[in-house]
Amino acid sequence: MRRWPLSRQPGEWWPQQRVTASAHGWGHRDGREAQTLGLTGAQTTQLLVEPPWMPAVLWDRVTLTCQGSGTAGATTWYKDGQRWGPEGRDHLIVTESGIYKCYRPGTGLSPSVTVLDDWLVLQVPARALLEGDTVTLRCRSWQNKELRNVHFYCKEKLLKGPHDGTELSLSPLQLHHSGRYHCRGWVDAVFPLWKESERVMVKVHRVPLSGVSLSAQPPGGQVALRDSLVLSCTVAAGTGPLSFSWHREGSGAPLGTSPCMELRHVGDNDSGQYWCRVSDGDSVAESDPMNVTVLVPVANDTITPGPLAHQVHAGDPVTLHCSVQVGSAPVTFTWLHNGEEVAQGPLLELGNVDVGHSGTYQCVATNQLGQDGQRVFRALSPELALEVTAQQHRDTVAAGVSGALLLMLLLVGVTVAWHWWYRVGEGPPDPPAPPEEGEVLYTHVVVTKRAGASPRATTLQHPQVTNAELRGPQGRPREPGDIYGNVL
C-alpha cells in the first residue's frame, strides 16, 4: 500500500523514499542504490518485464513473467526477499513497488526486477546493450507529470541540458558509453520541485560472437598435390578486437593466428580436418571443421594384356586391363583403338577377335579436382600393338605337321619289314621289274582247284594272264598260296 509522507512544502505530498537492492548491483547515493543493467548471467530462469524498461515504474501497470524449465505450476514468487502472492502462476501483475524474483525448480532463482514509485526515474531499455546499437534513455516524472529543464549526466558530467525534452539518444553505442547515468529536472506538482533520479548503470557489451565460418580457395577444400590452398575465417556477428587461431585434427599447437591461412605446396600429409577459433576477449566461438583433401593427379597408366601375346589368332578371346600407379579416386578410363574412342572402364573385352581388331590400343586415365571439375588430369598409356592372324594359316601348318608324322610312320614300317626278311633267311625280296608299257601287274593271285579238273588247272582273279606268269620258281607250276608281284 502506497504511503505518502508530508512534504516540506505546505500542501505537497511526496512519494516514499526507499532503499532498494537488485541482483544486478546498485550504487549507493543518499541512502539509495542505483541499478546496474547488463547481460543476464548463466541462470536459465528469466524474469521478463512489460513494459520492457528498467527500472520499472509502478504507474505503468507492470506485468512480470517467469520463464524456465519445469512446469509453470511450480513457480514461486518473491518480493523484497519474502514469498509473495499466490504460487503456481507464471505471470504476476505488480501492485506494489519493490524488488521481485521468481523461482522454478528446474533452473533455480531468476535475476531481480525493481519497480520504483519515485518523483523522477531514469529508465533504460530492458535488454542487453550492444556495440553498434541505438539506445534511448528517458527521464520520467511521477505519474507522468509535466517535466521541464531536464539535464542528463554520465559519470557526474553534464551531457545535455537544460533541455525541454525528456529523452537522451546514444547512437551508435560504443564501449566508452558505459557508466552511471542520471537525470535532473523540474517536476510540476503543487509547487515546482527540482528532483534528481537514481543512478542507473549502463553497460555496453561487445556483440557476442556468432556465425563463425570457414571457406577455402580452391572451393570445397580440395587441392592438387604441390598446389596452394588458402583458408579464410569469417565472423557474421561480433565486435572486436577479435583474435583468430587455426587448428587441425591431431595437431595440438595452433597453425596460425590471422584471419587467413595459406598452405603452400601441399603434400599427402596435409589432408585432414581444419577449423578456426575466434575470441573477443569475453567469449570464444569456433567454425565447423572443413575436410581438406589433397588430390593426387593420375600418372603412369599401363595396359596389361595378361597371358596373351601381342600376336593372337582369329577366334581367340582377348581382354585388356588398364591401371595407374598413382592417382586419387575416383579414376575413370577410356579406351582408344587407332586413336578412336571405343569403350569406357578399366577392362576392354574384345571377345573372339578377328582381323578387324588388329591395330594400336591405348587407355586414357582421368581424375578431377572438385565436384564441379574445375581441373581435370589425364594420363595416356603407351600403345599396345595387337596383330590378329587368320585361322587358315594355322590349318595349313597343322596339315603339314600331320603329313610329316604319316611319312615317318611309313618309313618305320618299311624298316621293320626289311629286317624281318633277313631274319627268315630268305634275304631281301628281289626288287620288282619295272612294268612294260601297257602291261598290267596283279599284286595278288590265288590258285584254286576246280572240281574234275586237272590239279594244274588254275582260276585267275584277273583275266589275260599267261601260263608263263603262272609258273613258280624254276618253272614249276605255282602252288596255292604262292605270292606274285609286289606285296605292300
Side-chain angles (χ1 to χ4, degrees):
M1 185 171 179
R2 188 179 297 117
R3 294 182 297 168
W4 297 88
L6 185 63
S7 171
R8 287 173 293 181
Q9 300 294 332
E12 181 181 5
W13 294 88
W14 293 53
Q16 182 183 4
Q17 303 292 333
R18 297 174 307 283
V19 176
T20 56
S22 169
H24 293 290
W26 289 78
H28 289 273
R29 178 186 174 275
D30 297 335
R32 303 184 186 183
E33 296 177 339
Q35 185 180 19
T36 301
L37 298 178
L39 294 170
T40 59
Q43 299 150 312
T44 55
T45 300
Q46 299 297 324
L47 186 54
L48 307 182
V49 57
E50 185 63 36
W53 291 88
M54 297 287 284
V57 292
L58 189 63
W59 59 86
D60 276 345
R61 186 178 173 81
V62 176
T63 301
L64 303 178
T65 302
C66 188
Q67 292 184 342
S69 63
T71 60
T75 301
T76 302
W77 291 94
Y78 294 87
K79 174 183 175 292
D80 299 329
Q82 302 295 324
R83 285 198 174 188
W84 178 262
E87 294 188 7
R89 297 180 181 179
D90 58 351
H91 296 280
L92 178 66
I93 297 177
V94 177
T95 58
E96 294 188 15
S97 59
I99 302 171
Y100 290 83
K101 295 182 181 181
C102 69
Y103 174 84
R104 297 289 283 271
T107 48
L109 200 63
S110 73
S112 62
V113 170
T114 300
V115 181
L116 297 180
D117 193 25
D118 291 347
W119 277 113
L120 203 62
V121 177
L122 179 64
Q123 290 184 311
V124 180
R127 58 179 174 83
L129 306 180
L130 305 178
E131 275 188 301
D133 285 354
T134 297
V135 66
T136 299
L137 281 61
R138 60 184 189 179
C139 189
R140 300 183 63 189
S141 61
W142 178 68
Q143 292 191 353
N144 298 322
K145 290 183 175 295
E146 184 179 356
L147 183 61
R148 294 180 291 108
N149 274 351
V150 178
H151 295 68
F152 290 93
Y153 298 84
C154 176
K155 304 173 186 177
E156 306 301 324
K157 293 182 179 180
L158 180 64
L159 296 177
K160 188 177 181 181
H163 187 68
D164 291 335
T166 60
E167 295 181 348
L168 173 66
S169 178
L170 301 175
S171 177
L173 274 181
Q174 299 180 23
L175 293 179
H176 70 262
H177 286 136
S178 297
R180 295 185 181 277
Y181 289 74
H182 70 281
C183 63
R184 295 177 181 175
W186 289 95
V187 179
D188 283 344
V190 177
F191 299 98
L193 303 173
W194 176 253
K195 293 298 180 182
E196 182 176 291
S197 71
E198 300 286 350
R199 268 65 173 169
V200 175
M201 182 65 190
V202 173
K203 176 64 176 177
V204 180
H205 298 267
R206 292 193 175 107
V207 177
L209 294 170
S210 63
V212 178
S213 61
L214 208 154
S215 60
Q217 186 60 40
Q222 289 193 345
V223 59
L225 187 69
R226 293 183 292 276
D227 280 358
S228 295
L229 175 70
V230 177
L231 301 176
S232 300
C233 188
T234 57
V235 180
T239 53
L242 303 179
S243 60
F244 296 82
S245 61
W246 289 94
H247 304 268
R248 178 188 170 188
E249 181 183 18
S251 178
L255 306 178
T257 57
S258 63
C260 295
M261 180 179 68
E262 182 178 6
L263 301 175
R264 298 183 179 180
H265 309 295
V266 296
D268 290 335
N269 56 352
D270 289 319
S271 295
Q273 287 192 335
Y274 291 77
W275 67 91
C276 66
R277 182 177 297 161
V278 186
S279 174
D280 62 0
D282 295 329
S283 60
V284 176
E286 290 184 350
S287 68
D288 291 332
M290 172 177 286
N291 191 39
V292 172
T293 303
V294 178
L295 181 94
V296 179
V298 289
N300 301 331
D301 56 334
T302 56
I303 298 177
T304 305
L308 299 173
H310 292 183
Q311 186 176 21
V312 296
H313 297 290
D316 287 345
V318 175
T319 298
L320 303 179
H321 179 263
C322 186
S323 61
V324 294
Q325 291 185 4
V326 293
S328 298
V331 178
T332 60
F333 298 91
T334 302
W335 288 93
L336 305 179
H337 179 215
N338 296 331
E340 299 292 332
E341 181 177 335
V342 293
Q344 299 281 340
L347 292 179
L348 177 61
E349 296 182 356
L350 299 179
N352 298 327
V353 297
D354 55 29
V355 177
H357 288 102
S358 296
T360 60
Y361 288 84
Q362 287 180 289
C363 73
V364 181
T366 304
N367 63 356
Q368 62 184 26
L369 180 65
Q371 296 180 351
D372 54 353
Q374 68 267 26
R375 291 185 66 186
V376 178
F377 304 94
R378 292 183 177 88
L380 183 64
S381 73
E383 290 184 350
L384 172 68
L386 188 67
E387 181 182 355
V388 181
T389 58
Q391 183 70 33
Q392 62 184 13
H393 175 72
R394 181 171 58 177
D395 294 342
T396 302
V397 174
V401 172
S402 300
L405 291 175
L406 181 58
L407 179 59
M408 291 178 64
L409 291 175
L410 290 175
L411 291 175
V412 170
V414 170
T415 303
V416 171
W418 182 276
H419 285 284
W420 182 79
W421 282 104
Y422 273 107
R423 279 178 170 271
V424 296
E426 296 184 0
D430 295 331
E436 297 181 1
E437 185 177 355
E439 185 180 10
V440 178
L441 296 180
Y442 291 86
T443 61
H444 191 198
V445 178
V446 179
V447 180
T448 61
K449 295 181 179 181
R450 262 191 232 168
S454 170
R456 294 187 179 274
T458 60
T459 300
L460 300 179
Q461 285 183 324
H462 296 283
Q464 300 178 357
V465 178
T466 63
N467 288 331
E469 293 169 327
L470 295 177
R471 295 187 180 275
Q474 292 83 37
R476 67 173 176 81
R478 291 185 182 274
E479 297 296 329
D482 285 346
I483 297 176
Y484 174 79
N486 292 326
V487 179
L488 295 177

